[in-house]
Amino acid sequence: RSCHRPAGPKASPESYSRGLPEGVEYIPTRKKGKNPMKPVGVAWYRLYAHTRLGYLFYRWQVKKARERYPHGHSAPQACFFPGVKILPIPVISNNYSYLIIDTSSGLAAVIDPSDPLAVQAAIEEEGVVLEAIFCTHKHWDHSGGNAVLRQQHGSCKVYGSTLDAIPELTHPLADREKVSVGRLTFEALATPGHTVGHMVYVLDGEPFGGPPCLFSGDLLFLGGCGRIFEGSAETMLASLDVAVGLGKDTLLWPGHEYTLECLTFASLLEPDNPALEQKLQWATQQRQEKRSTCPSTLGEEQTYNPFLRTHQPELQAVLGLWQGRWEHPDALRARVLKEVRRLKDLYKAT
């Protein structure tokens, strides 16, 4: 296979350091987080996810990002298998949409079309027919372009879960249901936690001599995972286990460019992890050059992503969490995940 990755009055920091494991120092990020879902309370999340105010905020985000990043926030590179092209489209300030093309038929699907102008430009440049929109969840920064693209592509179908209020949904999907676009086959997997109806999509690469490709939305990032807005740590853990079960060679295509922030946080928990140190150095260089860090592999992620390492005694020890006498191992893992997520939320609140 051939898949080319790009080469190679504010609270004081001390107030955020409370609650971190002993021996772990809080290091604030230099730039303010651009994620609209940063910790500002349940009321804001409800406004963003369930009211028109959220849509208006999304429209403002798109407008500002187009002005600031006229060519996208990152320089991505397409991934090729014989008969398949995967084109990351950098949108808004840190999102990714993905155009997946069956090169033999010229039919294409898009994952999470956040900015319809950027997605349409890619469709026109590639000269393909948009047949399907796969939406991972309802948040506007993943679904905001559905309506415009459906207007432009009348036969285009919109797939997703009925448990999320996905705009323009035409074809609801159940867990493990498969959809064909030309010769491409996608499998939908229910992965609740970030939202109650969150789904990820897996492209079957075997017919093309390639690995499976996981389009993970806000379930899993390079070095991190999504916030738990509509679920529990147990729910998110089960969803992450579904992803890990796809196999170590599976390519991970996340919904956001959060890699540097996630790896920097992870390094506070495991400062002596050589795989993490090497990945962080690489990601730092990539981001200094405004290059995309996608994709990764699930096997690689398991060596440094703390949200996939909840079973590791080293991480449990750093957090001061131990298995109870009658406690099931997965119950301990859920406690570890909950604590890592809590610390990550504190880390981002800068």
Side-chain angles (χ1 to χ4, degrees), residues 83-348:
V84 181
K85 181 176 182 179
I86 299 173
L87 181 63
I89 307 172
V91 289
I92 314 186
S93 60
N94 52 40
N95 283 73
Y96 285 112
S97 300
Y98 296 96
L99 187 66
I100 305 101
I101 303 168
D102 172 12
T103 58
S104 65
S105 68
L107 299 179
V110 66
I111 309 287
D112 289 353
S114 309
D115 182 347
L117 287 186
V119 172
Q120 180 61 27
I123 291 170
E124 293 177 1
E125 184 174 349
E126 296 295 326
V128 296
V129 176
L130 183 64
E131 187 168 280
I133 294 171
F134 292 104
C135 209
T136 60
H137 62 294
K138 64 192 173 188
H139 292 158
W140 290 111
D141 62 323
H142 293 258
S143 64
N146 291 2
V148 172
L149 288 173
R150 276 215 72 216
Q151 290 173 0
Q152 295 175 317
H153 305 271
S155 62
C156 178
K157 306 173 183 68
V158 179
Y159 297 91
S161 171
T162 55
L163 298 178
D164 267 18
I166 293 175
E168 302 292 322
L169 181 67
T170 62
H171 288 67
L173 291 174
D175 183 35
R176 306 284 174 177
E177 191 169 349
K178 295 184 179 181
V179 178
S180 294
V181 177
R183 297 187 305 152
L184 308 177
T185 301
F186 296 86
E187 183 177 14
L189 300 176
T191 51
H194 184 67
T195 66
V196 68
H198 193 286
M199 279 188 151
V200 299
Y201 300 96
V202 182
L203 171 66
D204 182 5
E206 185 175 0
F208 311 99
C213 292
L214 169 63
F215 299 93
S216 61
D218 281 1
L219 170 68
L220 185 62
F221 310 126
L222 274 70
C225 82
R227 291 196 67 201
I228 306 171
F229 287 115
E230 301 179 7
S232 63
E234 290 79 7
T235 302
M236 181 62 88
L237 178 64
S239 294
L240 291 170
D241 283 349
V242 168
V244 169
L246 295 172
K248 291 186 176 182
D249 66 334
T250 301
L251 294 182
L252 171 64
W253 300 95
H256 289 271
E257 181 58 71
Y258 289 161
T259 304
L260 191 55
E261 178 185 315
C262 288
L263 292 177
T264 303
F265 167 76
S267 69
L268 302 180
L269 300 179
E270 293 192 275
D272 298 322
N273 182 329
L276 174 55
E277 181 181 4
Q278 182 178 6
K279 187 70 173 184
L280 179 55
Q281 291 176 353
W282 175 84
T284 300
Q285 181 65 35
Q286 290 291 104
R287 297 312 298 152
Q288 285 175 348
E289 299 173 1
K290 301 299 182 184
R291 293 182 179 272
S292 171
T293 58
C294 306
S296 180
T297 68
L298 292 181
E300 190 178 359
E301 289 300 306
Q302 291 173 68
T303 67
Y304 53 67
N305 187 328
F307 297 97
L308 301 184
R309 294 172 58 78
T310 54
H311 61 292
Q312 292 291 341
E314 300 88 346
L315 182 58
Q316 295 170 2
V318 165
L319 299 172
L321 298 176
W322 315 98
Q323 187 172 358
R325 184 175 180 181
W326 307 111
E327 186 178 28
H328 191 279
D330 284 348
L332 172 61
R333 293 177 60 217
R335 288 198 294 125
V336 172
L337 178 63
K338 183 176 182 179
E339 181 64 4
V340 174
R341 184 66 260 176
R342 184 184 73 83
L343 295 175
K344 179 62 170 64
D345 293 345
L346 289 174
Y347 178 78
K348 291 183 69 171

Side-chain angles (χ1 to χ4, degrees), residues 44-54 138 140 165 230:
W44 165 243
Y45 175 71
R46 287 176 177 169
L47 287 173
Y48 180 85
H50 302 291
T51 72
R52 182 167 175 77
L53 182 62
K138 64 192 173 188
W140 290 111
E230 301 179 7

